[in-house]
Amino acid sequence: MEPAPAKAKPQGRLLVSTPLDAKDELEERLERCVGIVQALTNGLSEREANDALTANACKGQQQHEEVCLGLFTLVLTEPAQAQRCYRDLALVNRDGMNVVLVKINQILMEKFLKLQDVPRTQLVWLVRELVKSGVMGADGVIMTLLKQIAGGDISTKNLWLAESVLDILLEQKEWVLKSGMLIAMSVYTYLRLIVDHGAPNLLPLRQKEVDFCISMLREKFMDCLIIGRDLVRLLQNVARIPEMELLWRDLLHNPQVLSPQFTGVLQLLTARTSRKFLACRLTPDMETKLLFMTSRVRFGQQKRYQDWFQRQYLSTAESQSLRCDLIRYICGVVHPSNEVLSSDILPRWAIIGWLLTTCTSNVAASNAKLALFYDWLFFNPEKDSIMNIEPAILVMHHSMKPHPAITATLLDFMCRIIPHFFPPLESQVRQGVFNSLNFIMEKRVLAHLAPLFDNPKLDRELRSMLRERFPEFCSPPSPPTEVKMEESVSMEMDNHVLDKEESCYDNTEATFSDDEEEVNNKGKKREFRFHPIKEAVIEEPADITPWLDQLDDTMKEKVQQIQKTSDTETQCEVMQEIVDLILEEDFDTEQMSALASCLAELFKDHFRGEVLPEEITEESLEESVCKPVCLIFRNLVTMQEDNSGFSVLLDMLAELYQKQPKIGYHLLYYLKASKAANGKMMLYESFAQATALGDLHTCLMMDMKACQEDDVRLLCYLTPSIYSEVGLPKSYLHHKKSLKKETSQKIFPQSVRARCSGWETMSHLCVFVCVQLQELMCHVMMGNLVMFRKDSVLNILIQSLEWETFEQYSTWQLFLAHSIPLETIIPILQHLKYKEHPEALSCLLLQLRREKPSEEMVKMVLSRPCHPEDQFTTSILRHWATKYDDTLAENIKAQLIKNNNQPRKRQSLRSSSSKLAQLTLEQILEHMDNLRLSLSNTKNNFFTQTPILQALQHVQASCDEAHKMRFSDLFALAEEYEDSQSKPPKSRRKAPASSPRSRKGVAPPTNNEEESASSSGSEEEDSKPKAPKRKRKGSSAVGSDSD
């Protein structure tokens, strides 16, 4: 049996909804307005109805708005009455249709996709009527309507909307010509849409669009000029259409025909396109979804959002053209803040990389790449933004490891676009690309470009082309440049999200581990994080031709022997012969650089993958250092430093280091793992001084950074030896006091790394998973590793307050593994704010819980400012009051009496350590009162202890009336104690009515503590509790020593 119609949910007439949808607020309001209009006009003639509506609209702003919106809604839902309702609306309206225009824009931006067919048709009809009437502001509505025409969509509704809006523009051409922005926006929109309308059945519509664009461009070219360089990009896409071809030729070869003020296409290409034009080609829904992904979605969790977006907008063949609009929008409009850039939010380059991989057409792929590089071609650092060119370089950089084909095709496109974009402007394009690369390095988006341009994963022809086009950026970087890589303003994603870029947009090759079910081979639960599937490295034959001719015949023969054989043992034998040749007296050191280049190329495979064996044994370690390049290390270890060959081998390693920076941490590994190098770790210092850096600290930092990026297990393995055996200069041990708060996009501050002896390598340890962190803690507890010193640990922990949550927790875990007294770092409490430093506060709270309270601890805990939401002090005091009540009572008594006797004016003369605490009597009393309230519902007897009650008596006797009233409940405890200590009186004394037991509504006390110390009595007498007989309740006099 079918349900009765009366029981069904009434379907609105404006928006599409389902029985599960809640009633839309906007629709409800508009329906109420319709009811008001109908109530006013029912049974009346047209004239009487108009008079009634006018009279009601004149009563006030609300009534005016209700009548206008009611008529507006009737226009949308009642086509038969639309003409009459619009006429009434024009007569009744008193604000130039502003209330209607605002509501139309709201519906277009928020509800257009939900509109039913009739209201959608009527909305376009109403816009047409507004334009006919010349209503001021109608051009803004037309531009909003243009935004709803989706690119890459040839559905019936979208085609109808495109043609309907175009008809309005053609019919009201004279009105259109009065608005320069509307001309530019409509030309930009329809030039883009022409590309989508190439099917035979759409040719009539395309012809209308072509005619309109040509008309506007020829008649109002200077108004169209404000579009900027993207106007040329759009015209290029349609230049093969015969009518457009004529315009295109005039643009290139006869610009004066279009406008006397137009000097040529270069004028257009050097003007950046405004964001409003780039944004107008995305519908509001597309824009909302894209902005959500770039501001809310975490890197590694984007697949479901990308899948939804692809199903919704990118699943058809026609949608290939939409990718260009999306890429231009991301580059030119989505400019994240520094906070977002340094977080784990999905970066722009990852979305663009995903869009590039979804291109199935060669034409669409070429257009997408052009959209990505378009701002590079005529980039001017003074006018253009680094944010426009940053995504392209980061897509190439982050794709090199997981998807080298993407990087290769983008680099190839960048090289070939220079001569082919527009041959007469080749030099300008070359300069624009050069400016872009230069600006990228200047702004530290990437520290250097040589690893990208001269990467072995690229084919030989492409690398050759890059060296030819950009020789300035292909030379190996000088190591000092790389040291400051962390200071980038930019934009490169932090390494704390390990390896996520490897599967950032190729979703078909990404997997998530199951934290409950999946178990690795050793039966251990796998870590729950994003695990990209590694691509197989494509082996390429080593190309050493450019350097062979620079070697003498003997050396060339040895190098070629290594090249011809793949047997490791044979290579080691030949390598030993090469080392012997280097050590000969007649060795020509001028060929050292060429030899290093050859060896770096020949042994590049040795520097790939993990170095440390999966299972660490003496045999596996010895086997891991039996590589040809280790022959240099072995010979170096066996020599004495005063041997002439020692310095020659160091120079050879330094040359090799310039070609292959990984040689540094490989040397560290050899010195640690090889039996032959036992006790020779200090050789690394000699190596560091022989490099171009010439500095142990800088060289070590670079090698640790490279090791962190390649093999975290190896870094953990090396860390104990680095701390204990690598000799840092003593000068680095004395910079603790000069630490600055300095922010960087790297995990730990640059100032800590640069100035904190041994601690600087902690900046790389934060990428460890829990297993490696636990290993380090074990090394510390066994005495093999010391990462903190008592004289510097406090400064380090203070600096760590600006680090990310995981890094802070890891730092505290490593600190707690040391046997450093907590009192050493308790002054950090002065720097901790409850909203900004929850990590440090929680770690400190748990550690204080295990400690017996000392006077210094209690003082620092009490020195924290009182805030209703900050429960730190109350929680630790409550714990101590339960476990160490007598000790805590004595310490609090000492602080109360000390601060009560201390005049305010003398507080500024304290030592620097106590001066920071700013502990005041009022502060202690507030914390005591909070503790009292916390213990009020328990059986704890803390506030019945004699030291606490004596201290409260002492304070009450000398404080002012404001404090007595504010802390009356607290002082009442002292009064009861006083009564119990005195002789039994005739009747039990009661508190006067004027001393309230509640602090509600009491103003903060004034600072009159100076009066309490103005008498001439001694401090010893003052520190004793007053005799009960001298206590006068309700007295307004301030207690003194003479009392």
Side-chain angles (χ1 to χ4, degrees):
M1 186 179 210
E2 293 186 3
K7 294 183 181 179
K9 178 184 173 182
Q11 172 70 43
R13 302 185 61 190
L14 193 64
L15 305 178
V16 176
S17 62
T18 67
L20 297 177
D21 291 334
K23 189 71 173 178
D24 187 84
E25 292 182 7
L26 175 62
E27 187 173 19
E28 274 190 319
R29 186 188 178 200
L30 293 178
E31 286 178 354
R32 285 198 303 269
C33 293
V34 168
I36 293 171
V37 170
Q38 289 176 340
L40 290 170
T41 59
N42 277 346
L44 302 179
S45 65
E46 287 190 16
R47 185 179 183 84
E48 290 171 339
N50 184 262
D51 291 342
L53 293 172
T54 303
N56 191 70
C58 291
K59 290 181 180 179
Q61 179 64 31
Q62 181 179 347
Q63 290 81 359
H64 173 265
E65 190 170 322
E66 289 171 348
V67 169
C68 290
L69 292 181
L71 292 170
F72 162 70
T73 308
L74 286 170
V75 169
L76 298 185
T77 57
E78 301 290 346
Q81 303 177 35
Q83 196 68 48
R84 179 175 61 81
C85 290
Y86 179 72
R87 184 190 64 211
D88 291 344
L89 182 60
L91 293 172
V92 170
N93 186 267
R94 295 288 182 272
D95 65 352
M97 292 284 188
N98 184 62
V99 65
V100 176
L101 293 174
V102 169
K103 202 55 61 180
I104 291 175
N105 273 320
Q106 182 184 355
I107 291 174
L108 286 173
M109 293 298 291
E110 300 174 9
K111 310 291 182 184
F112 189 76
L113 294 177
K114 291 186 176 182
L115 280 179
Q116 296 184 27
D117 291 342
V118 171
R120 184 186 288 107
T121 305
Q122 287 302 112
L123 184 62
V124 175
W125 177 87
L126 178 57
V127 173
R128 177 184 276 105
E129 294 303 311
L130 293 172
V131 172
K132 283 182 182 179
S133 304
V135 173
M136 187 174 296
D139 55 341
V141 174
I142 288 286
M143 285 188 274
T144 308
L145 202 53
L146 286 169
K147 187 175 175 66
Q148 281 292 354
I149 307 172
D153 182 359
I154 56 172
S155 62
T156 305
K157 288 182 179 179
N158 198 59
L159 291 173
W160 168 82
L161 182 60
E163 189 162 14
S164 299
V165 177
L166 182 59
D167 288 340
I168 296 174
L169 296 174
L170 291 172
E171 291 167 9
Q172 305 299 323
K173 184 177 178 181
E174 292 302 320
W175 173 82
V176 172
L177 294 177
K178 296 176 183 177
S179 173
M181 181 53 68
L182 178 58
I183 292 170
M185 196 70 75
S186 56
V187 167
Y188 188 88
T189 299
Y190 283 102
L191 276 177
R192 164 65 187 86
L193 294 175
I194 288 171
V195 177
D196 297 334
H197 301 158
N201 61 315
L202 302 178
L203 289 180
L205 173 58
R206 190 180 82 165
Q207 191 58 47
K208 287 168 67 174
E209 292 168 339
V210 169
D211 293 341
F212 171 75
C213 290
I214 289 177
S215 171
M216 291 293 113
L217 285 165
R218 289 202 177 273
E219 294 177 33
K220 291 288 184 177
F221 185 79
M222 292 309 293
D223 288 318
C224 300
L225 197 66
I226 63 173
I227 296 174
R229 61 174 64 116
D230 276 80
L231 176 60
V232 179
R233 183 177 63 85
L234 296 179
L235 285 171
Q236 272 183 300
N237 293 336
V238 298
R240 293 183 180 275
I241 299 174
E243 297 89 334
M244 283 292 183
E245 188 175 4
L246 295 174
L247 179 71
W248 180 247
R249 288 178 180 174
D250 286 341
L251 181 74
L252 298 181
H253 308 298
N254 197 9
Q256 297 294 315
V257 172
L258 299 174
S259 172
Q261 290 83 34
F262 182 49
T263 58
V265 70
L266 187 60
Q267 183 181 349
L268 260 177
L269 290 168
T270 53
R272 185 164 58 128
T273 298
S274 170
R275 292 182 174 195
K276 64 184 71 174
F277 293 107
L278 300 176
C280 84
R281 290 320 316 127
L282 268 65
T283 65
D285 189 57
M286 289 181 198
E287 193 169 8
T288 301
K289 300 298 189 296
L290 210 53
L291 290 175
F292 177 83
M293 282 199 284
T294 56
S295 62
R296 302 288 295 278
V297 176
R298 296 191 180 279
F299 193 22
Q301 301 175 6
Q302 69 269 25
K303 186 179 187 302
R304 55 182 292 205
Y305 304 99
Q306 291 175 347
D307 288 347
W308 182 94
F309 198 93
Q310 185 156 0
R311 284 195 306 270
Q312 191 77 7
Y313 298 114
L314 302 173
S315 58
T316 64
E318 300 78 26
S319 64
Q320 292 289 321
S321 61
L322 179 60
R323 288 157 175 78
C324 299
D325 301 332
L326 295 171
I327 291 173
R328 292 299 295 145
Y329 177 83
I330 293 170
C331 290
V333 181
V334 182
H335 291 176
S337 64
N338 285 333
E339 182 182 2
V340 174
L341 289 170
S342 60
S343 70
D344 59 351
I345 296 298
L346 180 64
R348 297 186 301 161
W349 60 261
I351 300 179
I352 291 175
W354 162 66
L355 290 172
L356 290 173
T357 61
T358 62
C359 290
T360 58
S361 150
N362 289 335
V363 173
S366 296
N367 288 337
K369 286 181 275 190
L370 180 62
L372 180 60
F373 283 104
Y374 205 63
D375 288 312
W376 288 52
L377 306 184
F378 297 90
F379 184 79
N380 184 347
E382 296 180 0
K383 296 191 299 183
D384 293 313
S385 169
I386 183 65
M387 299 297 281
N388 289 23
I389 62 173
E390 176 244 25
I393 197 70
L394 290 186
V395 170
M396 294 188 285
H397 171 73
H398 288 283
S399 300
M400 178 61 82
K401 187 176 180 181
H403 305 287
I406 292 177
T407 303
T409 188
L410 290 176
L411 287 171
D412 182 75
F413 182 87
M414 184 179 69
C415 291
R416 297 182 188 278
I417 196 67
I418 294 174
H420 294 112
F421 178 73
F422 186 46
L425 296 180
E426 180 181 352
S427 59
Q428 287 89 338
V429 175
R430 186 186 305 278
Q431 186 61 44
V433 175
F434 178 84
N435 289 343
S436 301
L437 295 171
N438 212 37
F439 205 50
I440 283 166
M441 293 185 65
E442 182 181 326
K443 290 297 182 182
R444 317 300 296 163
V445 179
L446 293 183
H448 48 78
L449 298 173
L452 181 64
F453 287 180
D454 200 20
N455 197 291
K457 288 191 176 184
L458 304 177
D459 63 68
R460 189 182 309 173
E461 182 183 351
L462 177 56
R463 282 192 287 169
S464 176
M465 191 190 324
L466 286 166
R467 282 195 290 268
E468 179 185 343
R469 291 269 195 273
F470 310 108
E472 306 88 347
F473 305 107
C474 290
S475 57
S478 58
T481 310
E482 193 173 321
V483 178
K484 296 184 179 179
M485 189 170 179
E486 291 81 2
E487 297 176 2
S488 170
V489 267
S490 76
M491 326 247 223
E492 190 173 351
M493 281 297 293
D494 290 350
N495 286 327
H496 64 277
V497 184
L498 192 64
D499 283 344
K500 282 186 178 176
E501 68 268 17
E502 298 200 8
S503 291
C504 56
Y505 38 76
D506 192 347
N507 299 307
T508 60
E509 299 188 5
T511 59
F512 286 90
S513 64
D514 189 318
D515 65 337
E516 293 183 358
E517 298 177 3
E518 289 194 21
V519 178
N520 66 8
N521 295 331
K522 296 182 181 179
K524 189 175 180 181
K525 189 168 70 175
R526 295 177 66 181
E527 176 196 6
F528 182 75
R529 70 180 182 89
F530 189 71
H531 291 282
I533 296 177
K534 306 285 186 180
E535 288 189 0
V537 178
I538 301 173
E539 298 291 342
E540 294 181 2
D543 179 20
I544 57 174
T545 309
W547 304 288
L548 272 179
D549 293 338
Q550 301 176 37
L551 303 177
D552 59 37
D553 294 339
T554 308
M555 189 65 76
K556 182 190 296 185
E557 181 184 350
K558 299 299 180 185
V559 169
Q560 287 175 332
Q561 286 180 23
I562 292 179
Q563 185 181 23
K564 291 174 183 178
T565 182
S566 58
D567 179 60
T568 303
E569 189 175 343
T570 306
Q571 286 183 336
C572 288
E573 292 175 359
V574 178
M575 189 64 206
Q576 181 60 54
E577 294 175 7
I578 290 177
V579 172
D580 294 338
L581 289 174
I582 294 173
L583 295 176
E584 290 180 0
E585 293 184 3
D586 59 347
F587 176 70
D588 184 5
T589 55
E590 292 183 2
Q591 59 179 329
M592 194 174 285
S593 176
L595 177 59
S597 298
C598 291
L599 295 178
E601 182 69 15
L602 290 171
F603 298 142
K604 60 185 178 182
D605 293 341
H606 295 175
F607 298 99
R608 289 178 182 159
E610 296 181 351
V611 180
L612 193 64
E614 189 67 30
E615 189 174 342
I616 300 178
T617 62
E618 289 187 8
E619 293 77 12
S620 63
L621 288 175
E622 281 298 326
E623 185 178 349
S624 66
V625 294
C626 290
K627 297 178 180 179
V629 74
C630 295
L631 264 296
I632 304 178
F633 305 155
R634 184 183 302 171
N635 282 270
L636 198 64
V637 164
T638 57
M639 288 185 178
Q640 298 295 326
E641 291 194 22
D642 54 358
N643 190 317
S644 60
F646 184 83
S647 60
V648 176
L649 282 184
L650 281 180
D651 291 341
M652 182 65 213
L653 275 180
E655 286 289 342
L656 198 56
Y657 186 60
Q658 287 194 0
K659 317 298 180 185
Q660 176 52 269
K662 296 181 182 182
I663 201 78
Y665 74 76
H666 277 258
L667 173 60
L668 280 170
Y669 174 67
Y670 180 85
L671 295 174
K672 171 74 182 286
S674 175
K675 289 182 180 179
N678 189 22
K680 298 282 189 175
M681 204 66 162
M682 290 297 295
L683 275 178
Y684 180 82
E685 183 175 358
S686 302
F687 162 74
Q689 292 170 353
T691 63
L693 296 168
D695 172 43
L696 171 61
H697 171 261
T698 306
C699 190
L700 182 61
M701 286 310 306
M702 288 184 62
D703 292 340
M704 289 298 93
K705 181 180 181 304
C707 186
Q708 165 207 308
E709 293 172 352
D710 292 345
D711 191 347
V712 176
R713 287 181 63 244
L714 177 59
L715 180 58
C716 184
Y717 176 76
L718 293 175
T719 299
S721 298
I722 291 171
Y723 273 90
S724 59
E725 297 181 52
V726 177
L728 286 170
K730 292 183 179 179
S731 59
Y732 287 110
L733 302 177
H734 306 291
H735 289 292
K736 304 296 189 301
K737 294 183 181 179
S738 62
L739 291 172
K740 300 176 181 177
K741 288 185 178 179
E742 186 175 332
T743 306
S744 161
Q745 288 191 336
K746 285 298 173 185
I747 299 165
F748 288 90
Q750 175 74 14
S751 57
V752 177
R753 291 197 304 274
R755 301 179 185 177
C756 273
S757 158
W759 174 250
E760 55 265 9
T761 51
M762 270 303 300
S763 63
H764 305 299
L765 302 183
C766 59
V767 297
F768 291 171
V769 292
C770 297
V771 174
Q772 280 108 13
L773 181 61
Q774 189 261 348
E775 287 179 10
L776 282 178
M777 293 173 67
C778 291
H779 280 302
V780 171
M781 295 186 68
M782 290 189 296
N784 299 333
L785 175 62
V786 177
M787 303 183 76
F788 296 97
R789 288 155 33 102
K790 287 180 65 175
D791 60 351
S792 62
V793 64
L794 178 59
N795 282 334
I796 293 169
L797 290 176
I798 291 172
Q799 287 294 315
S800 75
L801 299 178
E802 298 184 12
W803 303 344
E804 296 294 332
T805 295
F806 176 72
E807 288 81 42
Q808 288 196 51
Y809 278 127
S810 299
T811 304
W812 279 93
Q813 292 280 1
L814 290 168
F815 162 72
L816 295 176
H818 291 70
S819 300
I820 298 178
L822 191 63
E823 287 193 354
T824 305
I825 57 105
I826 197 67
I828 197 176
L829 268 174
Q830 305 163 51
H831 302 268
L832 303 182
K833 299 178 182 178
Y834 74 99
K835 282 188 177 180
E836 297 176 19
H837 308 120
E839 301 91 349
L841 281 171
S842 59
C843 293
L844 203 53
L845 183 65
L846 292 176
Q847 191 61 17
L848 283 170
R849 189 173 183 272
R850 302 184 180 96
E851 300 283 336
K852 186 176 181 180
S854 65
E855 183 177 353
E856 182 68 14
M857 286 182 189
V858 173
K859 175 185 174 183
M860 288 298 169
V861 167
L862 291 173
S863 69
R864 290 188 58 74
C866 292
H867 192 282
E869 296 179 22
D870 185 3
Q871 300 295 321
F872 180 90
T873 299
T874 304
S875 61
I876 191 59
L877 288 178
R878 179 182 169 124
H879 173 76
W880 282 339
T882 304
K883 196 170 183 180
Y884 307 104
D885 53 348
D886 52 347
T887 307
L888 179 63
E890 291 292 343
N891 286 326
I892 290 180
K893 175 185 176 182
Q895 294 300 324
L896 276 171
I897 293 176
K898 180 179 180 180
N899 281 272
N900 189 45
N901 293 337
Q902 188 87 15
R904 289 258 178 182
K905 60 186 179 181
R906 288 175 56 192
Q907 288 181 1
S908 61
L909 302 176
R910 293 176 184 175
S911 65
S912 59
S913 62
S914 60
K915 186 176 179 180
L916 283 171
Q918 293 294 321
L919 183 60
T920 63
L921 177 64
E922 181 180 338
Q923 208 169 7
I924 301 175
L925 291 174
E926 282 191 80
H927 286 309
M928 292 286 291
D929 207 31
N930 288 337
L931 178 61
R932 178 188 63 79
L933 292 172
S934 175
L935 295 172
S936 60
N937 295 326
T938 68
K939 296 181 181 179
N940 190 289
N941 298 321
F942 178 74
F943 281 97
T944 63
Q945 295 184 93
T946 301
I948 290 292
L949 297 173
Q950 288 177 342
L952 288 174
Q953 269 191 311
H954 175 1
V955 173
Q956 185 186 30
S958 59
C959 70
D960 56 29
E961 278 301 306
H963 280 81
K964 288 179 180 178
M965 292 183 67
R966 184 176 182 189
F967 302 107
S968 58
D969 288 341
L970 197 60
F971 289 135
L973 301 173
E975 292 174 11
E976 293 171 5
Y977 169 72
E978 177 184 348
D979 291 343
S980 67
Q981 295 295 312
S982 62
K983 294 178 180 180
K986 292 180 180 180
S987 60
R988 185 84 175 164
R989 283 193 282 183
K990 297 182 180 179
S994 60
S995 300
R997 295 294 174 93
S998 173
R999 289 184 290 159
K1000 292 183 179 178
V1002 179
T1006 55
N1007 296 330
N1008 295 325
E1009 294 180 20
E1010 290 83 358
E1011 298 177 19
S1012 65
S1014 59
S1015 67
S1016 58
S1018 67
E1019 284 192 20
E1020 292 181 3
E1021 292 175 342
D1022 193 37
S1023 64
K1024 298 177 182 178
K1026 306 300 180 219
K1029 63 183 181 180
R1030 294 179 182 174
K1031 176 67 182 174
R1032 294 189 297 273
K1033 286 190 178 180
S1035 174
S1036 60
V1038 178
S1040 65
D1041 292 335
S1042 62
D1043 186 6

